[in-house]
Amino acid sequence: MTELNGRRVLVTGGAGRIGMATVRHLNEVGARVTTLSDVENPDLKADRVLIGDTRSEADVAAALDEVEYVVHLAALAHPSAGTPYDVYTINVVSTFNVLAQAGARGIRRAVIASSINATGMPFNPHDIKPAYFPWDERLPTDIGDWYSLSKQNDENTARMAWRRWGIDVVALRFPHVNSPTELHRIADRMREEPRSGMREAWSYLDTRDAAYSIELGLTAPLFGAYTFFATADTTIAPYPTEALLDAYAPGVPRLRPFVGREVPIDLTAIRSVLGFQARHELDLPTLDLPAQEL
Ligand SMILES: NC(=O)c1ccc[n+]([C@@H]2O[C@H](COP(=O)([O-])OP(=O)(O)OC[C@H]3O[C@@H](n4cnc5c(N)ncnc54)[C@H](O)[C@@H]3O)[C@@H](O)[C@H]2O)c1
């Protein structure tokens, strides 16, 4: 049990992929969970299940009743999940509405889902390369799509909410998050097409670890608005990271060498502030990168 035992937590987007795992996890640590989603999910088991829109002031006000902690996950989670206008406005208005109301009510802590896309790398329409490896939270961004822009904006909203109302906010930059079965499917594809993973630094996270990182984001002793990459320690490609970088990012500076399948993302910040380390890693072989890929 953690300090969340018996405390009320609002999870927006609780009916979604990360939301379902988060609600399950928070139930397990004894929290009383309220969910706010715009769709029903018969498998969702929460203390209070609300159907509504996170852009609505009234819906969010009702959902925040008796709430002490907020987890904001509701979003259109891909550039093609709606029109550019819908993806951008639903995401940024929802995050503003949830954090502004939580802050104004004096709620002390929120966790929001940012994304590795806040870097602008994965969906950028141009042939760009990152400034360096390993990525860290100071990596220069290069935004070329509305979903990534919404996530970058959400991180700014978090900083504003803390500055204005003193609500501590943890923004977690998730990579692709999924079940072990789906992650293994992606790993099979990475084995065939390792080039396609470069713009995500070949990173991934199991949904159960996403939920665990959210719990730590709610409970770790901290003060302020933080952004953390939250990924597994290893890559989703069955090749040595150094070989992948030699082949697909040859001109990109490497600030340190990488061991085996170590993910080329610096996880120092989340490890030292939240104490997070993924507990569910993919068991992949480390193969030689095929010569035609070099
Ligand atoms: N799954 C990933 O790989 C991944 C990676 C990086 C970041 N994220 C972020 O994590 C969060 C959760 O992602 P997910 O994979 O669980 O997505 P998901 O699509 O499975 O879940 C999101 C939920 O939010 C709900 N929603 C959308 N708009 C809403 C609105 N206006 N009002 C109320 N509910 C609304 C949807 O109905 C859905 O149930 C999102 O913010 C996403 O951008 C996800």
Side-chain angles (χ1 to χ4, degrees):
M1 290 293 164
T2 71
E3 71 175 62
L4 296 173
N5 189 21
R7 316 299 281 276
R8 184 160 292 280
V9 185
L10 170 63
V11 181
T12 71
R17 187 193 303 167
I18 299 176
M20 289 290 287
T22 301
V23 171
R24 202 173 303 126
H25 185 84
L26 292 174
N27 284 337
E28 282 167 12
V29 299
R32 293 184 302 146
V33 179
T34 300
T35 60
L36 176 62
S37 306
D38 62 354
V39 291
E40 293 191 23
N41 185 331
D43 296 327
L44 178 60
K45 303 272 181 287
D47 185 61
R48 194 169 173 235
V49 176
L50 301 177
I51 302 297
D53 190 331
T54 43
R55 291 169 296 177
S56 156
E57 287 190 276
D59 290 355
V60 168
L64 284 172
D65 195 35
E66 293 184 10
V67 161
E68 295 170 276
Y69 302 81
V70 170
V71 179
H72 174 53
L73 303 173
L76 295 189
H78 192 276
S80 61
T83 64
Y85 178 87
D86 279 348
V87 171
Y88 183 72
T89 57
I90 287 172
N91 293 359
V92 302
V93 172
S94 294
T95 302
F96 175 80
N97 188 29
V98 170
L99 290 183
Q101 289 204 47
R105 280 173 180 247
I107 290 172
R108 302 303 317 154
R109 181 70 65 92
V111 173
I112 66 168
S114 182
S115 168
I116 197 166
N117 289 289
T119 63
M121 287 294 302
F123 292 118
N124 199 293
H126 302 288
D127 183 24
I128 60 167
K129 295 272 193 302
Y132 52 79
F133 284 104
W135 297 2
D136 59 19
E137 290 77 7
R138 290 177 299 281
L139 185 78
T141 59
D142 186 345
I143 305 286
D145 72 280
W146 38 94
Y147 174 67
S148 304
L149 181 65
S150 76
K151 291 298 172 183
Q152 190 183 53
N153 203 95
D154 285 352
E155 294 180 0
N156 280 330
T157 302
R159 286 187 277 272
M160 182 283 291
W162 171 74
R163 193 78 180 104
R164 182 82 193 185
W165 294 289
I167 179 172
D168 298 320
V169 188
V170 172
L172 296 169
R173 285 187 177 177
F174 291 128
H176 186 78
V177 178
N178 222 320
S179 64
T181 309
E182 288 303 319
L183 291 173
H184 272 288
R185 209 163 283 161
I186 295 168
D188 288 345
R189 202 175 73 226
M190 282 298 154
R191 183 177 175 149
E192 301 302 317
E193 301 167 27
R195 179 186 300 274
S196 64
M198 190 276 285
R199 282 157 168 249
E200 299 176 29
W202 299 278
S203 58
Y204 73 94
L205 191 64
D206 186 297
T207 34
R208 294 164 293 179
D209 282 326
Y212 174 49
S213 69
I214 287 168
E215 179 205 340
L216 295 177
L218 292 176
T219 55
L222 55 79
F223 174 72
Y226 290 78
T227 293
F228 300 119
F229 281 105
T231 81
D233 286 345
T234 48
T235 67
I236 199 163
Y239 304 111
T241 301
E242 289 285 336
L244 289 168
L245 292 171
D246 286 346
Y248 305 119
V252 178
R254 266 172 245 175
L255 307 186
R256 62 174 167 79
F258 300 98
V259 179
R261 288 179 39 245
E262 180 183 357
V263 71
I265 295 182
D266 187 341
L267 298 171
T268 307
I270 193 165
R271 181 110 1 119
S272 53
V273 182
L274 297 193
F276 172 75
Q277 181 166 17
R279 303 190 284 200
H280 301 281
E281 304 241 7
L282 290 176
D283 186 16
L284 298 178
T286 306
L287 308 171
D288 289 335
L289 192 61
Q292 70 270 20
E293 290 290 349
L294 292 169

